[in-house]
Amino acid sequence: MTANPPASPPPPAATPAVAGLFAAASAARGQAHAPYSRFLVGAAIRTPDGGIFAGANVENAAYPQGQCAEASAIGAMVAGGGKRIAEIVIIGAPADPAADASGLCTPCGGCRQRLREFATPGTPIHVAGPEGVRATFTMDQLLPFSFGPDNLSF
Ligand code: THU
């Protein structure tokens, strides 16, 4: 009798590059402006040349105007001259340490499309909690059959 397989893949081994991204995402998460959801998110992108660009979620009293951490990180990357995402770490969890923080903070649908603009199908997307990376997906796993710049011949 064999044991049941685990419900989700084990966390990937942390590489130095991922550890650096995790630290940058964690610092950005500490600056999140999320007084309405009290759900703090930080994201950090590594570009192929080794640049690191981080962002946090930025909520607004007019709720729909809030911005996800991934969008903030992409804005920082573009402002810094970056055009490609080599990998990204996203850390999301409630601000309240007593709250259930076990959920995976996978990017929302809109952010999957935002990431797709600068990613390849194999780009790793590391989803983390405050303690570390919990799961890694590829861009294509999160947004299969996607529409991107190549559809417009760019
Ligand atoms: N949020 C992100 O910043 N990234 C995600 O991947 C999921 C959700 C933010 C949006 C909002 O400020 C808060 O988390 C709760 O949805």
Side-chain angles (χ1 to χ4, degrees):
M1 183 99 166
T2 53
N4 286 330
S8 58
T15 65
V18 171
L21 279 185
F22 182 85
S26 186
R29 178 172 178 265
Q31 305 298 333
H33 178 72
Y36 308 108
S37 72
R38 303 295 298 150
F39 191 86
L40 311 181
V41 188
I45 292 166
R46 181 172 62 79
T47 51
D49 63 359
I52 292 182
F53 301 96
N57 55 333
V58 184
E59 297 184 349
N60 193 282
Y63 291 179
Q65 302 307 323
Q67 174 162 302
C68 287
E70 294 91 327
S72 297
I74 288 170
M77 178 189 76
V78 171
K83 291 280 187 286
R84 307 297 308 164
I85 298 173
E87 59 185 336
I88 180 170
V89 169
I90 302 151
I91 308 173
D96 179 357
D100 177 9
S102 61
L104 273 186
C105 183
T106 43
C108 76
C111 283
R112 294 178 193 205
Q113 184 66 37
R114 291 186 181 95
L115 294 168
R116 163 69 178 86
E117 182 75 10
F118 304 100
T120 67
T123 298
I125 297 170
H126 307 284
V127 178
E131 80 292 346
V133 172
R134 294 176 178 174
T136 298
F137 305 92
T138 64
M139 184 74 251
D140 194 55
Q141 281 179 305
L142 294 186
L143 196 66
F145 303 105
S146 64
F147 187 91
D150 38 310
N151 291 90
L152 300 176
S153 302
F154 282 100

